[in-house]
Each structure stands twice: as structure tokens, then as C-alpha cells.
């Protein structure tokens, strides 16, 4: 058995299934480039059949990425598989990942198919996929609640049909480590020719066990792990890439496995994904949380100062902390900014967009002494830069708060070519700002989440605001960043409205 562990990243597919985390093609490309730099083996770029936009995004990632396999998900239907095949066609190395549910509950209530029909469809899907690539992965959805004998039968059939990777998902996050490891072990023992394929695992985090279950699978023979940056994903998320990679690396004595991951790229990747999706990272999150390497108690600090290993099992710099070097300042020119953007894998579709970014950079540098890479990432995540021709645009904002007086905000926005203004009171300046925007827009949306995080430290840091809006079954996350959090909030709110206005329609793979 090989000692190489394949890291299959599904941030752009399962991660994208988190509420409001849908990404545009440009944003997927930025994350895919960073994943390539991180060194993942496989990038699941999306579900090509979901919509024309998803198809275009998978194809664009396939055209861009050179040093990783680019994969599209496909239900086990001819149309899905063919769309996936067309989308990955430009990839230097392309994979189709097809799946069908194998548990009694899914087969009976969702698919309304018999066991025989499921096996027949799984085999057909693998054969359609082989017309496009010889790198075909098959997943038995809800394997955790599937009967063992039936799983063995399905996996045997798809190996005979030509699948090279067999994925065993805990779709609903139900398993516990010992049982999951045992399931993988039994499958490898019982499925004929199991040594000719790669066994993979894909765990959800509903019981907080996704990483533990994945590692247990690895200890029992799985050689591919499907995971996401920051554990982003459906419901409670997927197994977190950074935790799996660092567990395998830190406990080489237990796993004796190698990955291709450049661990110093972990924190930059985490920050990029968080800022693009609007999902903040909790401070005490392992590896990538702001406190993950902070020692608070005097005894710990004393110990670390005397001998680092007393309380540290990993080094912060090995996962990319402290890499946020001071980059630019007020006197930096266009060339310096352009070079820094290039180093961060950020490209602009036009000179007009770069000019808008340069303008924002100068405004920021006037208010903030030191500009870090994270500030530049946030600057371009702000849709005000990314889309010069957006529908709703903030032109100006004045907010007033004073003890004993009801806060008030006056906003001026453009909608298309028309300028509108409104002034409203609110519980605080942010509330007043949102009320003033709504007074103009009458969006009929429900505000589901409002959160503020500082991008770097210090009181002059930019606040990064996420606003989640829901309307008619659609959920979007809007983001804005500014040293003034009221302004950042207004940008985030308008960003969410712009996303709703863009009206991206897509199907969900598991429906
Ligand atoms: O959770 C799941 O079962 C999936 C499959 C499509 C692999 O995401
Ligand atoms: Zn999943």
C-alpha cells in the first residue's frame, strides 16, 4: 500500500453548498490558484450540470490550473456526466466524480429506485464518464447508512466498469471513528480487486467528528481524503483540510504518510476562503484560528519562552502564521501594487478594474499606515472594486452617533444610472444605515446574519463585514471591508443585494 495520501479539496463544490457561499467564476479561479499553490492533488471545482454559470466556472478552473487534477461532480445521469466531461475537457488532468445514493432510506424515498436499478445506473455513469477521462471516481452517497452487502456489490460493479477511486461518504455526519475505520477496513477486505483502486473518504461534521472519522479511515486503508478549507461545507461542514494535513504531518509516527501540501500556504488559503465566502474563522479553530498559537496563561508563556516544545506541538510559521509581512504603504506606486497583486494570484479583467483597485488602495493607505496582504485580499473581495458596473452602488454615507441621541444615517446610492438618497434613524449607526438603504430599495429581504471581524490587528485595522440576506428561498452572503465599519457594513449590504439582483439560479447536487 502506498504511503502517499491524496488530498482532494472540495471547497469549491461541497464548501460552496454552505448557505450564501456561492462563488462567481472569478472567485473560484482565485481560490483554485491558491489551492494549486497549497499543493492539493485534486480540486473539485463544482457541479457542472447545476447551471450554465457553474459549468463555466468548472471549465475556467480546468483552463487555469496546471498542477492539480480538476474534477467536476456529476449525479449518475447521462446529462450530468456529459456536462461534467465537457467542463473538465481543457484540464491538463481531469476527473469526473459521479455518485448515487446507496442507503435504503435514500433509494426508497429520494431516488425511488430498487437496488438493481441503482447498480445499473452507477455502472452506466462510470461508463459514460470513461468516454471523457480515465480518471473516474465513484461515490456511494450516504454510505454510512447503507447496508454493507449492498455497498460491496455496488463497489464491485463500478470497479469492473472502470472506476479508479472509490469514495465512501458519511453524507450526514453520523458515524464515529471506530465504526468508520471498521467500515473502510471491511470494504477493502471484501470488495474484489480493492487493491487496484484508491479508497477515499468524505466526512461531514454534524457530530463534530469529520476529521476524526477521516483519520480513522486513513488508518484503515483510505488513501484519499475529501476535505475543505476551514471545514466549510453543507450544514456543520466537511472535514477540515488543515486539521487533517497537520495531524498526518505532526503524527508521522502514527500515520507514516506523505502529502504534497506546502503547509506554509495553509493560513493564507484559509484567509482567502474566509474573505471570499464570508465565513469567518472562529478564533479557537485548530491551526487557522487567530488564537491557535496564542499562549495566554503565565505558566504556558513561561514554558514556551524557556523551551518552545513544552506547550507547542507545531510551529506557527510552519502553517503560514507571521507570514503577513508589511507590504505596501502610502508612497507605494502602481507598479508595486500590481506586483503584489500578482504575487497574491489576483488578476484584473481590465485596466479599469485595476485602476479602481489602485484608487481604493490609495484611499486605504491614507487612513491605514501599514497595508498587509490581507488588506489587499479584502480590497479586491469588495465587489465595489470587482464589479465596476454593479447595480447598487454606494456613493456616500454619513452616520452620526452620540450618547443620548438616536443614531442617524444618510446614504446616497446609485441604482443603475439613477441616484437616490435617504436618511433614517436606527438603534445604532449600522442599523440606521441598513434602514436608509432599505428605505430606497424596498428589497423585501430578511437579514439572517451580520458579523464583523478585523482583518489585521490594531484599531486602524479594516473591519470585514458579512451580511447574509434571504429572499424567496435564496440566500446570499455580502461582504465589505473598510477601516470604518459602518461604511464596510453598507458595502456588505449592497454586495448582498447585488448578488440577489444577479439572480444566479442553480440546482443542488443532492436533490
Ligand atoms: O456528502 C456527500 O455524500 C457528497 C457526495 C456527493 C460525495 O458530497
Ligand atoms: Zn458532502
Amino acid at each position: 500500500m502506498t504511503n502517499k495520501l491524496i488530498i482532494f479539496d472540495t471547497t469549491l463544490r461541497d464548501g460552496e453548498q454552505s448557505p450564501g457561499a456561492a462563488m462567481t467564476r472569478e472567485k473560484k479561479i482565485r481560490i483554485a490558484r491558491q489551492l494549486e499553490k497549497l499543493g492539493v492533488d485534486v480540486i473539485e471545482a463544482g457541479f457542472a450540470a447545476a447551471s450554465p454559470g457553474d459549468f463555466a466556472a468548472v471549465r475556467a478552473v480546468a483552463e487555469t490550473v496546471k498542477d492539480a487534477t480538476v474534477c467536476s461532480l456529476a449525479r449518475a445521469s447521462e446529462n450530468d456526466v456529459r456536462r461534467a466531461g465537457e467542463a473538465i475537457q481543457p484540464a491538463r488532468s481531469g476527473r469526473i466524480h459521479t455518485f448515487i445514493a446507496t442507503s435504503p432510506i435514500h433509494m426508497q424515498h429520494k431516488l425511488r429506485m430498487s437496488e438493481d436499478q441503482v447498480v445499473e445506473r452507477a455502472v452506466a455513469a462510470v461508463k459514460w464518464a470513461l468516454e471523457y477521462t480515465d480518471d473516474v471516481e465513484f461515490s456511494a452517497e450516504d454510505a454510512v447508512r447503507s447496508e454493507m452487502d449492498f455497498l460491496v456489490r455496488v463497489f464491485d460493479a463500478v470497479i469492473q466498469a472502470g472506476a479508479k477511486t472509490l469514495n465512501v461518504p458519511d453524507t450526514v455526519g453520523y458515524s464515529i471513528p471506530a465504526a468508520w475505520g471498521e467500515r473502510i477496513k471491511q470494504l477493502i477486505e471484501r470488495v474484489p480487486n480493492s487493491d487496484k483502486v484508491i479508497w477515499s473518504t468524505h466526512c461531514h461534521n454534524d457530530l463534530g467528528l469529520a476529521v476524526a472519522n477521516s483519520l480513522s479511515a486513513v488508518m484503515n486503508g483510505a488513501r484519499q481524503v475529501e476535505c475543505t478549507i476551514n471545514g466549510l461545507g453543507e450544514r456543520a461542514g466537511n472535514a477540515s483540510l488543515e486539521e487533517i494535513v497537520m495531524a498526518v504531518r505532526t503524527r508521522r509516527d502514527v500515520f507514516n504518510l506523505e502529502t504534497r501540501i506546502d503547509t506554509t500556504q495553509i493560513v493564507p488559503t484559509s484567509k482567502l476562503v474566509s474573505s471570499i465566502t464570508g465565513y469567518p474563522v472562529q478564533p479557537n479553530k485548530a491551526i487557522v484560528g487567530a488564537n491557535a498559537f496564542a499562549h495566554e496563561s503565565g505558566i504556558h508563556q513561561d514554558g514556551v519562552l524557556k523551551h518552545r516544545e513544552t506547550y507547542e506541538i507545531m510551529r506557527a510559521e510552519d502553517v503560514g502564521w507571521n507570514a503577513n509581512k508589511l507590504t505596501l504603504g502610502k508612497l507605494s506606486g502602481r507598479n508595486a501594487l500590481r506586483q503584489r497583486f500578482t504575487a497574491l494570484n489576483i488578476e484584473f479583467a481590465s485596466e479599469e478594474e485595476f485602476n479602481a483597485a489602485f484608487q481604493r488602495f490609495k484611499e486605504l493607505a491614507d487612513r491605514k499606515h501599514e497595508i498587509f496582504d490581507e488588506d489587499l485580499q479584502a480590497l479586491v473581495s469588495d465587489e465595489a472594486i470587482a464589479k465596476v458596473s454593479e447595480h447598487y452602488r454606494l456613493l456616500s454615507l454619513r452616520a452620526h452617533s452620540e450618547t443620548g441621541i438616536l443614531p442617524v444615517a444618510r446614504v446616497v446610492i446609485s441604482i443603475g444610472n439613477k441616484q437616490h438618497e435617504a436618511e433614517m434613524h436606527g438603534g445604532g449607526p449600522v442599523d440606521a444605515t441598513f434602514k436608509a438603504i432599505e428605505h430606497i430599495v424596498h428589497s423585501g429581504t430578511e437579514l439572517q446574519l451580520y458579523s464583523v471581524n478585523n482583518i489585521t490587528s490594531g484599531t486602524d485595522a479594516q473591519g470585514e463585514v458579512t451580511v447574509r440576506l434571504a429572499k424567496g428561498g435564496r440566500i446570499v452572503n455580502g461582504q465589505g471591508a473598510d477601516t470604518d465599519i459602518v461604511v464596510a457594513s453598507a458595502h456588505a449590504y449592497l454586495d448582498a443585494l447585488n448578488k440577489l439582483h444577479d439572480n444566479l439560479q442553480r440546482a443542488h447536487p443532492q436533490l
Side-chain angles (χ1 to χ4, degrees), residues 375-410:
D375 292 312
L376 297 182
Q377 302 273 23
L379 197 108
V380 291
S381 289
D382 189 337
E383 293 293 305
I385 303 290
K387 275 203 232 152
V388 179
S389 58
E390 67 200 343
H391 188 64
Y392 300 105
R393 210 170 154 73
L394 181 69
L395 299 179
S396 72
L397 164 63
R398 194 180 62 212
H400 183 82
S401 52
E402 189 179 332
T403 44
I405 290 181
L406 204 55
V408 62
R410 179 178 167 277

Side-chain angles (χ1 to χ4, degrees), residues 83-246:
R83 291 295 278 166
E86 286 156 22
I88 59 151
Q89 185 261 324
R92 197 172 270 185
S93 163
R95 173 181 296 191
I96 296 175
H97 174 193
T98 186
F99 74 98
I100 191 162
T102 49
S103 62
I105 186 168
H106 275 230
M107 290 190 292
Q108 196 185 330
H109 299 288
K110 184 179 83 167
L111 299 175
R112 303 214 167 93
M113 284 167 84
S114 67
E115 289 191 348
D116 287 352
Q117 286 171 321
V118 166
V119 176
E120 196 181 308
R121 188 69 83 73
V123 167
V126 170
K127 288 187 176 158
W128 292 318
L130 284 166
E131 291 177 29
Y132 298 86
T133 171
D134 59 6
D135 188 352
V136 176
E137 170 170 338
F138 172 81
S139 282
E141 191 193 6
D142 203 21
V144 67
R145 292 183 296 176
S146 302
E147 275 156 17
M148 199 59 183
D149 288 348
F150 184 57
L151 270 185
V152 171
R153 179 176 164 208
V154 176
F155 282 135
D156 178 19
V158 294
I159 292 180
Q160 289 188 49
K164 295 277 185 318
T165 303
L166 301 191
N167 185 39
V168 191
D170 181 359
T171 306
V172 290
Y174 180 69
S175 201
I176 55 171
W180 198 239
E182 184 56 30
R183 183 153 277 240
I184 301 292
K185 185 167 166 245
Q186 278 193 30
L187 283 170
I188 295 177
E189 273 167 15
R190 291 185 51 191
V191 174
N193 294 313
S194 66
D195 58 329
K196 308 278 187 312
V197 294
I198 297 285
W199 288 88
S200 166
T201 192
H202 173 117
C203 297
H204 280 269
N205 205 29
D206 300 64
L207 293 174
L209 293 170
V211 169
N213 287 338
S214 303
L215 292 174
S216 179
V218 168
M219 292 177 84
N220 284 281
R223 286 295 175 267
Q224 173 177 287
V225 177
E226 302 197 352
C227 44
T228 59
I229 302 296
N230 302 334
L232 195 67
E234 282 271 357
R235 308 180 307 279
N238 288 57
S240 122
L241 179 147
E242 56 278 6
E243 292 176 22
I244 288 171
V245 166
M246 289 314 289

Side-chain angles (χ1 to χ4, degrees), residues 9 11-12 23-46 57-71 229 260 269 272-273 276 344-345:
D9 181 277
T11 308
L12 299 179
M23 290 168 242
T24 59
R25 190 170 63 141
E26 288 67 32
K27 289 184 172 174
K28 281 199 171 185
I29 291 175
R30 274 180 64 203
I31 294 182
R33 283 215 180 95
Q34 181 59 33
L35 290 171
E36 197 179 10
K37 209 163 162 188
L38 177 66
V40 306
D41 299 283
V42 185
I43 298 174
E44 188 163 56
V58 176
R59 200 173 164 93
V61 172
E63 279 162 0
T64 308
V65 168
K66 301 285 171 257
D67 192 26
T69 296
V70 177
C71 171
I229 302 296
R260 277 196 334 139
T269 314
L272 179 66
V273 168
I276 285 185
L344 293 171
N345 287 322

Side-chain angles (χ1 to χ4, degrees), residues 457-488:
S457 51
T459 48
D460 73 343
Q462 290 196 82
E464 188 168 48
V465 174
T466 301
V467 164
R468 185 174 301 157
L469 295 181
K471 187 180 179 183
R474 288 192 62 214
I475 299 176
V476 292
N477 286 342
Q479 283 122 281
D482 200 282
T483 49
D484 181 328
I485 59 159
V486 184
V487 174

